[in-house]
Amino acid sequence: MQRLNLSILTLCCGLLLPLTGAVHAQEATGEPEMITSVEGITEYRLDNGLTVLLFPDQSVPTITVNVTYKVGSRHEAYGETGMAHLLEHLVFKGTPDHPNIPQELTEHGARPNGTTWYDRTNYFETFSATPENLDWALDMEADRMVNSFIAKKDLDSEMTVVRNEFESGENDPGGVLMERVLSTAYLWHNYGKSTIGSKADLENVPIERLQGFYRKYYQPDNAVLVVAGKFNPETTLDLIQEKFGSIPRPERELYPTYTREPIQDGERFVELKRVGDVQVVQAAYHLPAGPHPDFPAIAVLMDVLTDEPGGRLYTALVEEGNASSIWGFAPALAEPTFAFFNANVLKENDLMEVETTLKNTLDSLAQNPPTEEEVKRARDGILKNFEINQRDANRVGLTLSSYIAQGDWRLGFIFRDRVEQVTVDDVVRVAEKYFKPQNRTIGRFFPVEKPDRAEIPEVGDLSAMTEGYEGREAIAEGEEFDPAYDNIDQRTVSGTLGTNDNIEYALLPKETRGNSVNAQLQLRFGNLDVMKGKAMAGDKAGSMLMMGSEKYTRQQIQDKLDELKARVNIGGDADGAYAYIETENERLPAVIDLIGEILRKPTFPETEFNKMIKEELAAIEERRSDPQAIVFTEMQRRASDFPQDHPFYVMTFDEEVDALKKLKLEDVKQYYNDVYGGGNITFSASGDMDVDAVKEALERNFGDWTSPTEFKRVPRTYQAVKPEMVKMETPDKANAWFVAVQTLPLNDEHPDYPALVMGNYMLGGGFLNSRLATRIRQQDGLSYGVGSQFNASSLDERATFMSYAIYNPENREALEKAFREEIDKARSEGFTAEEIAAAKSGWKQNAAVSRAQDRSMAGELGNNAYLDRDMQWDKALEEKMMALTPEQINAAIKRYIDVDKMVILRAGDFAKAESVKKP
């Protein structure tokens, strides 16, 4: 995904050089040409071929800069598989003018990433909206477009990191099977090859081929620059012209990819045998590309089939069959794409029976066509998600990459328009046209006397499709909001509601794009006496809340949420329940009404209970051989050593299976009746809202709700972990997990808390330039993912430091050695003043980005309300962080963080790795 930085020392020594010398700025000629404007997004074209999309939104104080290069794994030649993705990593290694890109990203408080898929590669960063940050981001992206170090030294270390990412994917049998199915379905086209590439190609690719790939595709005429958020379009366009306009248009010519799959003439089969705990059956069908007129109907059909709980496949395979779970998708790609389905099946069930049911369900669509209700539900869900995404300029700035990759950014709006017109007849037509047995890959090959082949049509002329397209009126823009601590406090409306003041609320009303609002509702109930021995019943009571109420079935709840254009997640456990909400201003009171119905009148249907238990058991079986699940379960058990009947006790896999099998629906209902109630409620919201209407909705739904038992918070007391080195074998898993954890006796009011937060930020936080990431990922190339976390309770004297890494089991000793050396170095030598200054800037800007996002602010407001805090507490913490001296930070790290006081857990196929090392 991302990639590391370069040492300035080695750069000065001349060890890392640009490919053939930096591309020096030339005087830009001409002005950017305005091409078109659709629903608030305006397209410009520079003389050198660069396409620019500007999407201003003054309602949030952040900016997203996203550069999409129209190159992905589809463009790779023989021996080049994985090259587009590997290059994505190396582009983070720096340029002569930006030699340490991860450090710059951290110092600017950016939230960055890079992603690669079949048709495109993109790099983006979201940051606080300041002229300085925007100038820096555009300068950095323009520079690394043509001046990146693509050096042999970086390839040598990064290849092992990408290989580790490859090995991580090899742990999942379902993911490996998907690679096999697609490579069997696609005989010639690169859509049949995984973006991660071949391990042999990754290990052997010559640096010259990688450099040639970079020079060929990373050019302005093959890129689209998106700037979205709070900025001045006129001055930003001038800045883009200054930064990018001087890059010369390349002389090379890019040929369009022309490989096409022959029409499939028989069902195909592939079989995979590896260690695992859950059986899997998958199916793939060839389909037309995303811009094709048939694709919207296909998208609706996919929802009709895979939606949970009402989808055809979910009903046939999970509710009525022996599958534990199903999923499916059809990616909108630039060239003829595919539909993909997956079903997981427990070992004791018949895989072939599930496969037969899967085939029959898909083959019978013509004889048993979707109903108008099914099509409307799927269509409304797709349109709801599109509308919600359009409210967030930063989110739009990123999702545009998908449509750019298909050939034109306006295809997203065209897709929406076409989905609105999809009918039952359209869905039936595409089902008959493409979902044929001879067009399917499951496994077995069946010769047939008379092939019934599905011919996949081409898209045609995109310019004719998009010419003159104007779209619709842009949705409502929000206000220019200042996320300063004082301003948030001044504008927050707070208080209590209910007969017994049982509801505490904190509301931050403001005008937002699309009138969007995010909210959270938290219920706290129970006490240690009533929860003892009943944690499983309490947990599953929370899991079942959205499975039916007195007024609505599970499906009707989903339909109602689609009608309200709301995303809502409701759940809970033994000591509380929650509801997370994303919707619009005028719909928030109605959403609260629906949540009130769900929380206060659940019916706990027996059929849903049985399905839930079946799915939970399958999930546990899948985790049994997964190194990540094993290592984190063991970490939780050792860091929280509670009695077995305590609600915070962490079960083993066997204990969890036993508890689930013993659990009765009556236990779940009884727990709800005995414990659930509204005696202690916190509601918080940030965004566009009618405060009075929200308060009225809270009052009528929860104002008279009492709790059957007294709420008394169960503390999580400090428990020191027992220092130990623990090794757990996971046979046949290519990737291993490392976790080190230490508990500390302090909370977030402790004088050393700010110093530990900043110390961890430099040790294992930030963006790829932390001490651990620089050493273990950049320098030694041992891990794709490495970092650390520090968290302290607000209510209990208990904090946790945790570090993690994924790696090849063969590198266990090297990784553990590097980890200890970096911790010991931080303890003995400390951090420099320069490191601390950069970390302070990055931490502060990152905090500002969080305050600018309504979802995180809703959570912060609710947490502060429960703790009787306001944003002045956060402001004081920031002031303490900014006032920290190197001596204070280094003293705190030395005092608290100690490898010899940690439990270190490793899970992987170490026996195989050790046997390979033996002569």
Side-chain angles (χ1 to χ4, degrees):
M1 303 283 285
Q2 308 103 319
R3 216 34 286 128
L4 281 222
N5 48 32
L6 297 170
S7 163
I8 293 185
L9 176 61
T10 55
L11 181 63
C12 293
C13 292
L15 297 180
L16 299 175
L17 300 173
L19 300 183
T20 56
V23 176
H24 298 289
Q26 300 178 2
E27 185 173 345
T29 59
E31 294 295 325
E33 178 186 5
M34 191 273 202
I35 304 299
T36 187
S37 184
V38 173
E39 298 187 21
I41 304 174
T42 304
E43 177 182 353
Y44 298 89
R45 191 76 42 76
L46 271 58
D47 282 352
N48 59 11
L50 179 70
T51 296
V52 177
L53 302 179
L54 299 185
F55 189 22
D57 179 10
Q58 305 305 316
S59 64
V60 291
T62 57
I63 299 174
T64 293
V65 170
N66 179 29
V67 181
T68 302
Y69 294 93
K70 290 178 278 188
V71 59
S73 58
R74 170 166 63 93
H75 302 86
E76 294 163 347
Y78 186 80
E80 293 182 346
T81 62
M83 185 173 287
H85 176 247
L86 182 57
L87 186 60
E88 174 213 317
H89 282 239
L90 291 183
V91 169
F92 279 95
K93 287 289 188 178
T95 72
D97 290 340
H98 296 272
N100 197 330
I101 288 175
Q103 180 176 324
E104 292 183 21
L105 291 164
T106 300
E107 290 175 356
H108 286 271
R111 296 189 176 182
N113 212 334
T115 69
T116 307
W117 212 25
Y118 295 112
D119 303 312
R120 54 98 185 127
T121 305
N122 75 307
Y123 304 86
F124 64 88
E125 47 274 339
T126 298
F127 46 84
S128 294
T130 66
E132 295 79 12
N133 280 345
L134 181 58
D135 183 276
W136 156 77
L138 293 175
D139 187 81
M140 183 265 292
E141 292 294 356
D143 196 27
R144 68 174 173 175
M145 175 180 284
V146 289
N147 290 324
S148 288
F149 295 112
I150 309 297
K152 182 66 166 63
K153 174 183 179 296
D154 295 329
L155 174 62
D156 291 342
S157 64
E158 205 60 28
M159 179 277 292
T160 58
V161 170
V162 176
R163 185 177 61 189
N164 184 226
E165 184 180 358
F166 170 91
E167 292 158 348
S168 176
E170 292 290 292
N171 276 4
D172 178 18
V176 175
L177 181 61
M178 181 177 179
E179 292 180 4
R180 304 292 190 268
V181 168
L182 290 179
S183 64
T184 303
Y186 285 95
L187 301 179
W188 304 105
H189 198 282
N190 271 5
Y191 286 169
K193 296 183 176 66
S194 170
T195 303
I196 195 70
S198 157
K199 186 176 181 181
D201 287 357
L202 293 175
E203 292 175 337
N204 297 291
V205 58
I207 187 63
E208 293 78 14
R209 293 193 72 175
L210 201 59
Q211 291 170 342
F213 196 87
Y214 171 71
R215 285 191 293 262
K216 180 177 181 180
Y217 291 108
Y218 279 57
Q219 297 288 349
D221 64 343
N222 196 47
V224 179
L225 168 66
V226 180
V227 181
K230 182 182 178 181
F231 62 90
N232 180 290
E234 183 176 347
T235 59
T236 299
L237 190 61
D238 291 340
L239 190 60
I240 291 170
Q241 175 69 9
E242 174 190 337
K243 303 293 185 183
F244 288 86
S246 58
I247 301 174
R249 179 188 284 269
E251 297 180 359
R252 60 92 183 91
E253 182 179 356
L254 291 177
Y255 293 97
T257 53
Y258 46 79
T259 300
R260 292 292 184 272
E261 276 297 298
I263 300 171
Q264 187 166 331
D265 54 3
E267 190 172 17
R268 300 172 188 167
F269 171 82
V270 61
E271 184 178 273
L272 174 71
K273 290 184 177 180
R274 284 192 174 197
V275 171
D277 302 289
V278 176
Q279 303 177 89
V280 181
V281 60
Q282 298 174 345
Y285 294 81
H286 291 284
L287 297 174
H292 193 275
D294 284 348
F295 195 83
I298 292 169
V300 170
L301 175 58
M302 292 299 294
D303 272 17
V304 169
L305 290 168
T306 62
D307 184 51
E308 182 177 342
R312 292 281 183 95
L313 289 174
Y314 184 85
T315 300
L317 298 178
V318 178
E319 286 192 357
E320 302 170 1
N322 286 324
S324 57
S325 64
I326 70 102
W327 54 265
F329 75 113
L333 302 177
E335 295 181 359
T337 182
F338 56 88
F340 196 91
F341 302 95
N342 180 99
N344 287 2
V345 185
L346 288 174
K347 284 182 177 178
E348 58 264 33
N349 292 335
D350 188 345
L351 184 70
M352 295 308 298
E353 179 182 325
V354 174
E355 179 183 325
T356 298
T357 304
L358 172 68
K359 290 180 178 180
N360 290 343
T361 304
L362 295 170
D363 293 344
S364 64
L365 287 169
Q367 294 73 34
N368 184 22
T371 64
E372 180 62 43
E373 179 185 6
E374 287 177 301
V375 171
K376 182 180 184 302
R377 178 182 300 140
R379 187 174 57 225
D380 290 349
I382 294 171
L383 295 173
K384 176 196 75 173
N385 288 328
F386 185 93
E387 290 181 19
I388 288 176
N389 288 338
Q390 288 300 111
R391 299 173 192 155
D392 186 339
N394 293 314
R395 190 184 296 173
V396 172
L398 298 179
T399 56
L400 281 173
S401 289
S402 172
Y403 302 110
I404 292 167
Q406 294 176 52
D408 193 292
W409 61 273
R410 292 166 291 181
L411 291 171
F413 299 105
I414 293 175
F415 174 77
R416 174 204 59 194
D417 298 348
R418 287 172 167 176
V419 167
E420 289 177 334
Q421 305 303 316
V422 170
T423 65
V424 172
D425 290 342
D426 293 328
V427 175
V428 173
R429 175 177 56 79
V430 297
E432 291 180 332
K433 189 173 183 179
Y434 304 116
F435 283 64
K436 299 180 179 182
Q438 287 87 344
N439 189 38
R440 177 170 60 216
T441 298
I442 285 181
R444 303 177 187 89
F445 172 71
F446 295 103
V448 291
E449 293 183 3
K450 186 177 180 181
D452 183 13
R453 300 170 179 172
E455 184 174 354
I456 310 301
E458 293 292 335
V459 172
D461 185 3
L462 280 179
S463 62
M465 185 187 305
T466 59
E467 184 178 1
Y469 183 78
E470 298 179 356
R472 305 176 186 178
E473 182 180 354
I475 63 177
E477 293 187 4
E479 64 174 289
E480 184 174 344
F481 181 77
D482 177 12
Y485 298 105
D486 293 344
N487 186 53
I488 293 173
D489 277 342
Q490 290 170 6
R491 294 188 55 167
T492 298
V493 180
S494 60
T496 59
L497 298 167
T499 305
N500 298 308
D501 291 333
N502 60 308
I503 307 170
E504 190 167 13
Y505 64 87
L507 311 176
L508 178 58
K510 57 180 178 176
E511 296 179 7
T512 57
R513 178 174 176 78
N515 304 318
S516 63
V517 60
N518 281 260
Q520 294 185 15
L521 183 142
Q522 298 282 346
L523 274 67
R524 301 172 184 87
F525 42 67
N527 53 66
L528 185 56
D529 291 336
V530 300
M531 289 189 284
K532 272 190 174 181
K534 300 177 181 178
M536 182 63 75
D539 184 69
K540 299 315 163 194
S543 299
M544 290 195 69
L545 290 171
M546 292 190 74
M547 294 183 180
S549 70
E550 293 181 6
K551 190 174 181 180
Y552 300 107
T553 65
R554 183 180 181 183
Q555 183 61 65
Q556 288 171 338
I557 289 173
Q558 296 300 325
D559 293 345
K560 187 67 175 177
L561 289 173
D562 286 343
E563 177 187 327
L564 293 172
K565 297 183 178 180
R567 288 176 180 162
V568 174
N569 181 22
I570 299 176
D573 51 28
D575 64 348
Y578 59 82
Y580 301 126
I581 307 162
E582 182 178 358
T583 188
E584 299 173 353
N585 177 332
E586 61 183 16
R587 302 178 191 274
L588 181 55
V591 173
I592 295 173
D593 291 339
L594 177 59
I595 293 171
E597 162 75 17
I598 292 169
L599 288 175
R600 299 192 66 175
K601 300 176 182 179
T603 53
F604 301 104
E606 185 173 5
T607 56
E608 297 293 347
F609 174 78
N610 293 333
K611 286 189 294 181
M612 177 186 68
I613 296 299
K614 182 169 64 171
E615 292 172 5
E616 292 276 356
L617 289 172
I620 295 170
E621 293 305 316
E622 194 166 8
R623 294 200 301 270
R624 284 183 183 275
S625 60
D626 177 29
Q628 181 178 0
I630 291 171
V631 80
F632 278 101
T633 298
E634 189 65 20
M635 181 201 76
Q636 291 170 345
R637 286 175 57 79
R638 290 172 179 264
S640 302
D641 187 15
F642 291 97
Q644 194 162 357
D645 64 348
H646 196 282
F648 297 157
Y649 174 76
V650 179
M651 298 181 184
T652 66
F653 295 140
D654 287 339
E655 288 171 340
E656 196 171 355
V657 167
D658 184 62
L660 280 169
K661 289 183 175 180
K662 290 179 179 177
L663 186 67
K664 306 298 182 186
L665 180 58
E666 291 72 22
D667 301 332
V668 175
K669 292 181 177 180
Q670 192 63 49
Y671 191 89
Y672 176 86
N673 292 331
D674 290 346
V675 182
Y676 265 67
N680 190 302
I681 297 177
T682 303
F683 183 86
S684 52
S686 178
D688 214 316
M689 73 189 89
D690 183 330
V691 170
D692 291 336
V694 170
K695 291 165 62 177
E696 290 171 4
L698 292 171
E699 184 76 54
R700 67 173 172 265
N701 284 282
F702 307 109
D704 62 347
W705 196 16
T706 59
S707 295
T709 57
E710 179 187 4
F711 166 62
K712 187 175 181 181
R713 189 184 70 86
V714 180
R716 289 184 179 268
T717 54
Y718 165 71
Q719 301 170 16
V721 297
K722 178 184 177 182
E724 190 175 356
M725 298 286 288
V726 182
K727 186 168 68 172
M728 294 164 284
E729 289 289 342
T730 57
D732 204 35
K733 297 298 181 181
N735 190 67
W737 268 86
F738 166 96
V739 168
V741 65
Q742 178 183 358
T743 53
L744 306 170
L746 55 86
N747 63 17
D748 64 6
E749 296 282 3
H750 194 280
D752 288 330
Y753 173 73
L756 286 169
V757 171
M758 189 61 71
N760 175 74
Y761 190 77
M762 293 181 286
L763 185 61
F767 178 70
L768 297 183
N769 71 318
S770 68
R771 288 279 187 91
L772 290 173
T774 299
R775 169 67 185 279
I776 294 173
R777 176 169 171 161
Q778 175 194 0
Q779 179 179 318
D780 295 352
L782 297 173
S783 175
Y784 168 69
V786 57
S788 67
Q789 300 173 1
F790 172 73
N791 296 292
S793 171
S794 299
L795 297 170
D796 300 316
E797 298 286 332
R798 187 178 189 277
T800 303
F801 171 82
M802 187 271 289
S803 183
Y804 64 90
I806 63 172
Y807 60 105
N808 187 310
E810 296 179 6
N811 295 326
R812 179 178 63 82
E813 294 178 359
L815 183 135
E816 292 168 12
K817 179 176 181 289
F819 172 74
R820 174 175 281 277
E821 289 177 353
E822 289 304 316
I823 298 294
D824 290 346
K825 180 180 178 182
R827 284 170 50 82
S828 62
E829 301 178 14
F831 299 97
T832 67
E834 291 76 13
E835 283 180 285
I836 293 171
K840 286 181 178 180
S841 175
W843 185 90
K844 184 176 181 179
Q845 293 192 63
N846 193 279
V849 171
S850 293
R851 295 195 305 275
Q853 297 178 339
D854 289 327
R855 185 180 305 170
S856 60
M857 270 311 304
E860 182 72 7
L861 291 170
N863 187 59
N864 282 348
Y866 178 60
L867 297 173
D868 292 326
R869 294 173 176 173
D870 56 20
M871 296 304 294
Q872 296 307 304
W873 189 93
D874 301 80
K875 181 180 180 181
L877 174 62
E878 181 176 296
E879 291 171 349
K880 294 174 185 176
M881 300 281 284
M882 296 303 106
L884 286 168
T885 65
E887 292 76 16
Q888 290 173 314
I889 296 172
N890 295 334
I893 293 296
K894 186 173 183 178
R895 182 180 305 122
Y896 293 101
I897 308 303
D898 188 347
V899 176
D900 292 330
K901 295 180 180 179
M902 299 179 189
V903 57
I904 296 179
L905 309 165
R906 296 79 49 84
D909 192 353
F910 302 116
K912 179 180 179 181
E914 290 167 3
S915 67
V916 171
K917 292 181 181 179
K918 294 179 180 179

